[in-house]
Amino acid sequence: MKILLVEDEEFNLVVLEEMIKIFYPKAHISTAANGKVAYEMLKTEIFDLILSDINMPEMDGYGLIEKIKKELLLQTPTIAVTAFAIQGDKEKLLLAGFDAYISKPIDMNELQPVLQMYLGDSS
Ligand SMILES: [Mg+2]
């Protein structure tokens, strides 16, 4: 199983990666520092799940989801990881094409069911 994490803050990236490894120790986790880097990777690589920050330089999460849905035409489930998960933003995220969202700081109890929904049980 291949997972792509898109996040411009190194600390957040490491934390998220370590959390995912707890649930899916065998997962192949790739990282991208912003949407533009992720977009380039997605042109050639297939992932089972994408988790993306929203606020990033070069290309933000909204720019990335637009590329994923309208240009790359990928069906890959894409989860927004956002610090500003207030109600209006949640709806905006879903309308933009994200399948789900989790809020920062990431709570393991919130992350686990989302991973389970899109990746199934660990193997
Ligand atoms: Mg950010």
Side-chain angles (χ1 to χ4, degrees):
M1 130 194 334
K2 290 180 67 180
I3 303 170
L4 176 61
L5 307 181
V6 192
E7 163 70 63
D8 65 313
E9 286 174 51
E10 180 72 21
F11 177 78
N12 291 342
L13 203 55
V14 171
V15 169
L16 185 56
E17 187 170 357
E18 291 305 313
M19 281 184 171
I20 292 171
K21 279 181 183 169
I22 292 169
F23 300 120
Y24 298 90
K26 291 178 186 169
H28 292 271
I29 302 175
S30 299
T31 62
N34 60 57
K36 193 161 182 278
V37 175
Y39 168 57
E40 293 301 326
M41 292 170 76
L42 288 165
K43 286 179 181 175
T44 57
E45 256 184 281
I46 304 287
F47 294 91
D48 298 297
L49 182 69
I50 302 165
L51 288 99
S52 179
D53 182 24
I54 295 301
N55 289 320
M56 295 179 288
E58 302 284 335
M59 184 190 291
D60 69 5
Y62 285 109
L64 178 61
I65 195 70
E66 190 175 342
K67 291 286 189 190
I68 288 171
K69 297 293 176 183
K70 295 181 180 166
E71 189 187 316
L72 300 170
L73 304 175
L74 298 174
Q75 304 290 317
T76 315
T78 306
I79 313 302
V81 182
T82 176
F84 49 92
I86 56 169
Q87 195 57 44
D89 286 321
K90 288 177 180 176
E91 284 165 13
K92 198 176 160 195
L93 291 167
L94 298 179
L95 281 172
F98 286 101
D99 294 272
Y101 46 79
I102 50 177
S103 48
K104 285 195 265 188
I106 297 164
D107 179 343
M108 299 266 276
N109 295 319
E110 188 183 3
L111 177 66
Q112 198 273 336
V114 172
L115 294 177
Q116 167 104 37
M117 180 180 296
Y118 295 101
L119 296 173
D121 292 322
S122 178
S123 59

